[in-house]
Amino acid sequence: VREERLLNFKNFKVVGPVEPLVVEAGEVLVLPCSLQPNISAVDMTVEWIRTDRTDSDKLVHLYEGHKDTNDKQMKSYRGRTALFKEELQKGNTSLKLSAVQPSDEGVYQCYVESGSLYDDVTVHVVKLLEKWMYHFH
């Protein structure tokens, strides 16, 4: 059984959206990310970081050892991030980001690791002008 599981993991790939995600401030945003084939990510490490940050403070969300481990999470993301726990079983490692703010615009990386195997994908978030700005013509 162990050998079969390893064979399944051989080609696991992390995939995400090709186009940038466009969002308005205040919305809930889902940053899509999933495994191909759709194997379970429950036992894996799932890390979301901001790759456009030059300082060492980059962590957006970390799931490791079957739980969220966000003690090193960037302060601006506290209480606003979540994985879809019931979907991890199906290889869905997407991130839900609540109450989007202008500073959330940027480049995110979804990194998934299982033992010595890992892969990642980059997701771009582009902010739209706030709704109230459209009233000035």
Side-chain angles (χ1 to χ4, degrees):
V1 178
R2 190 171 156 75
E3 274 181 18
E4 272 179 36
R5 266 189 80 203
L6 287 173
L7 280 175
N8 285 341
F9 280 125
K10 219 176 190 175
N11 300 319
F12 105 70
K13 195 168 183 301
V14 176
V15 294
V18 179
E19 298 293 321
L21 305 177
V22 181
V23 67
E24 287 178 343
E27 285 186 347
V28 172
L29 175 66
V30 175
L31 284 73
C33 183
S34 59
L35 302 181
Q36 277 186 355
N38 299 132
I39 52 176
S40 174
V42 171
D43 300 326
M44 300 185 184
T45 294
V46 179
E47 185 180 53
W48 279 91
I49 61 167
R50 283 282 297 268
T51 55
D52 56 342
R53 298 282 300 224
T54 49
D55 52 359
S56 58
D57 212 13
K58 294 173 194 252
L59 185 65
V60 176
H61 194 95
L62 177 62
Y63 169 87
E64 172 174 64
H66 302 107
K67 63 183 193 297
D68 297 319
T69 313
N70 284 325
D71 45 319
K72 293 193 174 117
Q73 185 183 42
M74 290 165 65
K75 285 190 175 62
S76 63
Y77 289 99
R78 292 274 156 92
R80 297 196 300 126
T81 63
L83 295 180
F84 297 88
K85 293 291 166 59
E86 66 289 348
E87 293 282 317
L88 283 173
Q89 194 73 44
K90 304 171 193 165
N92 182 352
T93 53
S94 299
L95 183 75
K96 180 181 173 185
L97 181 58
S98 305
V100 168
Q101 48 201 41
S103 61
D104 294 336
E105 184 176 14
V107 185
Y108 293 75
Q109 184 187 70
C110 173
Y111 171 89
V112 182
E113 182 184 283
S114 176
S116 61
L117 298 165
Y118 60 89
D119 194 22
D120 61 68
V121 72
T122 300
V123 180
H124 294 261
V125 174
V126 181
K127 174 183 67 72
L128 268 180
L129 293 172
E130 283 75 18
K131 283 177 183 157
W132 58 266
M133 293 181 90
Y134 292 124
H135 299 301
F136 299 98
H137 289 293

